[in-house]
Every structure is written in structure tokens, then in C-alpha cells.
Amino acid sequence: AELGDHLGVTRPATGTDPEWDAVAVADTDGDGTITVADLAALSQRIIYDDGPFELVEASTIDMQAAMNAGVTTSVAITQEYLDRIAAYDRTKVDGATNGRPLNSIITTNAAALTAAKAADTGRAEHGMTSMLLGVPIAVKDNYDTKDMPTTGGCSCWSANQTDTDATMVAGLRDAGAVILAKASLDEFAYGFVSEFSAGQPAGSSLLVASPYVTSQSAGGSSGGTGAAIAANLAGIGFGTDTGGSIRIPSTYNQLVGIRPTVGLTSRDGIIPLALSQDTGGPIARSVTDAAVALDAVTGIDAADPVTNTQSGKVPASYTSSLDPTSLQGARIGYVTSMVGTNATTKRLFDESVAKLTAAGATVVPIAPTTAFNRVLSEGSGSTNEFKHDLDEYVAKHLDPDVTARSLQGILDSGQYVPSRKSTYESRNTITDAQYQAWAGPTGSHTTQLQTGKALVTQMLEDQDLDALVYPSGTPYGTQSTNMRLSPNTGMPALTVPMGQATAADGTVPGGGVNLEFLGRSFDEGTLIGLGYSFEQATKARTAPALYGPLG
């Protein structure tokens, strides 16, 4: 029944009353009686806002509230993002001599407006069926999409038009999201500078720029996703992370990134780099948006058997963890050697420890051990795994019309980032015996990842910790081997802005640095709660001034 039908119902003095039980949750002021004040408070909880709507920095909640109120539509939002891409992405808007275009988008979706119209029709008929209904999303161009080519950033694969979506993309579409565009990346997700050849003449390439300091890289390998979301060219983005490729563009571009537990999100239909460590996840402007996005892409997938490990460990919604008081009573540790000496990073980390403490957390410094350092020093699997894993993708997914059907075929095509030639050549020499010795069931890398997970999990248990924290990087740089902790354990990490460099730091003024939270496998909910509480206490993200509303 509607709450209005229960006005005047009062909590019984003794025993239970079915009528009260049905409405007790709505007693927002706790006075024991359902009143008009409770009715008004309920109305404020409904996602509805008929005030002015501004797309720049709009969250999923902002979009849903405006669309529910009829102030805007998914078609209008989608068109405005397309307009922003057209105006900003390949245009040098930075007046500085060394300023560069963003180059964050490889392809926009010709079917995006059709999908947006369908979302609007669905809303009119059934209401808001999902927090992603009608929200435009950019995915890294290593996710298969049945309505756009999947290039991996390489011009050699410009004809790779798959007839199916990656499992994660299918999840987003099922939630009603609009797949707006394919974001640029470091070619085949190899590195952290986001250089790609897709759409360029043979022998040439483009670099992705940070919208804050366009002379600087947006990071990688998911740099296009990072630059696009920071510059408000899409609502939410998705990237992949093998050794830092979600979290690095997040820290470079003042964004929230989630690297999920390996096994929470399916990799089927995503061009692999190293399946021992590959995982896909959201890049967003807020923890709320990241949690909303993560809800749509979890699930067991027979095409990626590692997802069987998530059974019984995924909540109904990660948004239930968005509690601003999550830091109260939390125990958070940090390994002292992971802080480093960069002036900006150390200042912001020290400030963040103070803010965590002020919010009610106990912060515990931990001395590094030889075994822990071994976890951080284990290398990425991409050298020994790429050739093997790429062959599996080619056999299962690659469009038959693509002629470059192996690493050797890519080399023979001459259509790739020129500086990558020696890297491709060296990885092409890896034999199956080398692969098995590294990533096979008893391989050295496989064994070390298992050891790393056990060691760090035990560290959390021994210290009774909810999470570890450490800096995700430095202004436009990485902090030692910090990015390896999550991939070298398979454990989840969430990165949140903690501030920017100032001129007094002597680093790169305006460059962002994030704080990363790492927790137990499949405990993304705890990390989301802690990250949200930290985000609400700091409000550290800023919008890039060069990419404001269109005139």
C-alpha cells in the first residue's frame, strides 16, 4: 500500500503490529508515528529533479533524476555527448604551445541514438528499470561490440567487426545503457602512454592526452577511457587492467577506477593481454557511478571459467555499500615502503591518512617484509602470455575478414605503432614451453600469484584490517611497483582521487594523485564503502577547465 494510506499509524507499545511492520522503515524522523514529515522525506529519496540539468560532471543519479522528471531524455544526453566528442576530442583546445588534442575516442556508435530512443520508450512505458537506463557509456576498444569494430587500438584490425558483444558489454546493454563509443588505448593494451594506430595511415600513430595538462599522457593502457570520462565525453567508461591499466588513467585524470577480483567480471570477448591477470572494470567520475556500473557486469560466464569462483560472493547491488560512515571503526593498513618520496604524493598521502583518521578509521603502518616485496616485484604476464592468449581470441572471436590473424601476421601487415616492432618481435618468439613454464598450472607465475594472494590475505587477517591503502601514483607517473599489488594477488582494488599537485611541490602543477584501497577477494563492497566515505570526506576531484559546457 502507499505510505499515505498509513498516516497516523503509531508504533505499538508492546508486541508487533503488521501494519507498523509494513511501514516502520519509512519512519525517517524516528518519532514512532507516520506523519506528513515522513511522507515528505520519502519524496526526497525518489530520483526525480525537475530543475535545470547540466551534462558536465553529471552523475548517473543526476541523469536519472532529470530523465525521470522529463527535463531531458537519453536521446538528448547522447546527442550532447556526441557533440562534445565532435567538438573536443580531435581538436587542440589548449592554447599552450605544447598542448595536444585528447584523441580519446576511436569510433562513435552510429546506433547510439537508436539505443537512446529505445531507452526513452522503455522509461515511458515501464519507468526507470535500471540506474544505467539510457546512460551513455564508452568502452575501451578491446571490448567486442556487435555495432562497432574492435581494433585493440591497431590499424591492422580495423576490419574486426564481431557479430557478438563481449559478455560485459552484453550486461551493460541488458541494463539499458547506451554504448556510445569505443575509447582509444595503448595498442593491444601493452603500455601506459596510450599510443594507438587505429584509423591512422600505416607507419603513424596518435597519443592520448590528459584533459588537465594536455602536454601529458592520459596514462594507459585505458588512457582513452580515462581522458574521455574526465573531459565529460561520456557518462561512464570501462577499461581493462593487467598491471595498472584501469588505475593509472584514473589517477592521471582524477577518476575513480575499480580493478575487480579476477573472476568477478568475464573476459570473454575482450582482446587479452595476459589472462593470468586481465580483468575489466569501470572508470567513473564518482564512486557511486563506479558501483552502479559494476552491478551490470558481474556474473558467472561459462565462456570464462574463472568466473565460477564468484558463486555466492556477489551482493544484490554494490550500491548498498555507499555509506558515508563506512570509515568509522575501520582498520586500514599501509606498507611504509609504498608511500615513496615524491613531494606531491607524500604530502597528499599524509593528508589522506589524517582524513581517514578524522573519519573514524584506525590507520596502521606496516613494515615491508622480503616476502611482501617479492609480491610487488613479480612481473606482468604480458611478455610470456600475449601470443598464446591472443591466438585463443583470434580463433574464437576475430572477424574472418581480418588478414592479420597472429602476432606474426600483425608484424607482416606493417600496420601498427612503429615503436612497438621490437616488442612484437620478442613476444612472437615465446614458445608454448615457455608459456607453460610461466602460466601453466604449475608455472612459476601461477605459483607466485597464488603465494601473493595467500600472503596479503594473511596480512589483512593478522592485523585485523579491512583494507590496505597506498598511493596509486605520482603526478603523471607511477609510484614504484605499487600498481602490481592487485594483479599479483588477484585481489580487488579501488582508486579514488586524493588531490592535485601544487606549484610548491615542484612536480607537475594540476596533476592528480589517487589513493588506492586493496581488499580481500570478492570484497569489492567493503572497498566501495571505504572509498565512498573517503570521497565524501575529501571531494578531491576537480573538472578539467578546458572542457567545460559547449557554448
Side-chain angles (χ1 to χ4, degrees):
E2 292 183 357
L3 185 63
D5 296 338
H6 296 272
L7 286 174
V9 172
T10 300
R11 180 176 57 236
T14 59
T16 60
D17 183 327
E19 189 174 15
W20 176 256
D21 289 344
V23 297
V25 70
D27 182 22
T28 55
D29 58 9
D31 68 352
T33 303
I34 301 301
T35 66
V36 172
D38 296 314
L39 210 64
L42 178 68
S43 70
Q44 292 171 359
R45 295 180 180 181
I46 296 172
I47 302 177
Y48 183 96
D49 187 346
D50 59 3
F53 174 73
E54 172 53 61
L55 186 71
V56 172
E57 294 297 290
S59 68
T60 53
I61 293 175
D62 296 332
M63 293 182 208
Q64 296 299 344
M67 288 189 285
N68 287 343
V71 171
T72 189
T73 63
S74 177
V75 167
I77 289 172
T78 300
Q79 185 61 63
E80 188 168 353
Y81 277 133
L82 290 170
D83 292 344
R84 289 180 63 81
I85 291 169
Y88 282 144
D89 191 57
R90 297 296 173 96
T91 304
K92 181 182 179 299
V93 301
D94 187 348
T97 303
N98 60 354
R100 298 186 284 131
L102 294 178
N103 295 327
S104 69
I105 300 295
I106 290 177
T107 309
T108 54
N109 190 355
L113 290 171
T114 300
K117 185 175 181 180
D120 288 335
T121 300
R123 188 183 304 273
E125 294 176 351
H126 307 293
M128 188 189 77
T129 55
S130 160
M131 279 296 293
L132 288 180
L133 180 64
V135 174
I137 290 179
V139 298
K140 187 177 183 178
D141 200 10
N142 58 354
Y143 284 73
D144 285 355
T145 47
K146 60 188 177 184
D147 45 15
M148 288 175 282
T150 301
T151 71
C154 187
S155 60
C156 63
W157 277 15
S158 60
N160 182 29
Q161 180 54 71
T162 61
D163 56 9
T164 58
D165 286 326
T167 300
M168 289 176 65
V169 172
L172 292 168
R173 292 197 206 269
D174 287 347
V178 174
I179 306 302
L180 177 77
K182 304 295 284 291
S184 51
L185 65 155
D186 202 272
E187 190 172 84
F188 287 115
Y190 268 27
F192 295 152
V193 298
S194 289
E195 184 175 6
F196 63 98
S197 65
Q200 305 308 303
S204 62
S205 61
L206 294 176
L207 285 163
V208 183
S210 169
Y212 294 92
V213 184
T214 68
S215 61
Q216 298 285 338
S217 169
S221 64
S222 311
T225 305
I229 301 308
N232 287 274
L233 304 188
I236 296 173
F238 274 82
T240 58
D241 190 310
T242 306
S245 292
I246 285 173
R247 295 159 295 142
I248 288 171
S250 294
T251 191
Y252 281 25
N253 299 293
Q254 300 186 39
L255 296 168
V256 174
I258 297 177
R259 177 192 155 89
T261 307
V262 174
L264 183 65
T265 56
S266 172
R267 287 86 53 88
D268 187 57
I270 299 176
I271 300 170
L273 180 59
L275 287 173
S276 66
Q277 295 167 300
D278 286 353
T279 186
I283 296 175
R285 291 182 291 271
S286 67
V287 177
T288 297
D289 285 356
V292 166
L294 188 61
D295 276 345
V297 295
T298 63
I300 295 172
D301 180 11
D304 186 4
V306 73
T307 58
N308 290 322
T309 57
Q310 71 180 261
S311 180
K313 301 173 183 176
V314 180
S317 174
Y318 287 107
T319 61
S320 64
S321 297
L322 297 170
D323 181 352
T325 67
S326 294
L327 285 168
Q328 292 181 10
R331 283 181 57 84
I332 297 173
Y334 71 94
V335 177
T336 54
S337 59
M338 296 180 76
V339 178
T341 58
N342 178 276
T344 300
T345 298
K346 189 174 187 312
R347 172 178 62 81
L348 291 174
F349 185 81
D350 289 347
E351 291 173 2
S352 294
V353 168
K355 290 171 183 175
L356 292 169
T357 303
T362 299
V363 182
V364 182
I366 302 170
T369 63
T370 300
F372 182 82
N373 290 339
R374 177 71 187 89
V375 176
L376 288 179
S377 65
E378 177 70 6
S380 166
S382 60
T383 296
N384 291 322
E385 297 175 52
F386 179 67
K387 181 181 179 181
H388 172 276
D389 294 348
L390 185 72
D391 285 346
E392 289 192 352
Y393 174 89
V394 168
K396 186 175 181 180
H397 295 286
L398 191 66
D399 187 316
D401 293 334
V402 175
T403 57
R405 307 193 68 79
S406 64
L407 196 42
Q408 184 61 53
I410 292 168
L411 282 162
D412 292 343
S413 75
Q415 295 180 294
Y416 51 83
V417 172
S419 64
R420 304 301 161 82
K421 183 178 180 181
S422 61
T423 302
Y424 292 156
E425 288 174 338
S426 64
R427 295 185 182 186
N428 194 39
T429 66
I430 300 297
T431 65
D432 186 63
Q434 287 174 294
Y435 169 82
Q436 292 297 334
W438 172 264
T442 59
S444 62
H445 187 59
T446 304
T447 301
Q448 178 56 39
L449 297 189
Q450 294 167 347
T451 299
K453 177 180 177 178
L455 186 145
V456 177
T457 301
Q458 192 61 50
M459 177 187 293
L460 294 172
E461 294 298 323
D462 290 345
Q463 301 276 355
D464 190 25
L465 300 175
D466 297 290
L468 293 174
V469 293
Y470 45 90
S472 282
T474 62
Y476 296 108
T478 55
Q479 171 55 45
S480 188
T481 54
N482 287 10
M483 289 294 94
R484 295 183 184 177
L485 186 58
S486 177
N488 286 353
T489 59
M491 297 162 71
L494 177 146
T495 183
V496 184
M498 62 175 174
Q500 301 79 37
T502 64
D505 292 334
T507 55
V508 183
V513 180
N514 279 17
L515 183 69
E516 190 160 321
F517 295 78
L518 179 132
R520 294 167 176 81
S521 293
F522 299 108
D523 198 17
E524 281 82 357
T526 293
L527 299 184
I528 286 168
L530 297 174
Y532 179 73
S533 185
F534 178 75
E535 175 191 58
Q536 298 308 300
T538 57
K539 300 287 188 182
R541 171 175 163 78
T542 64
L546 292 170
Y547 299 92
L550 293 176

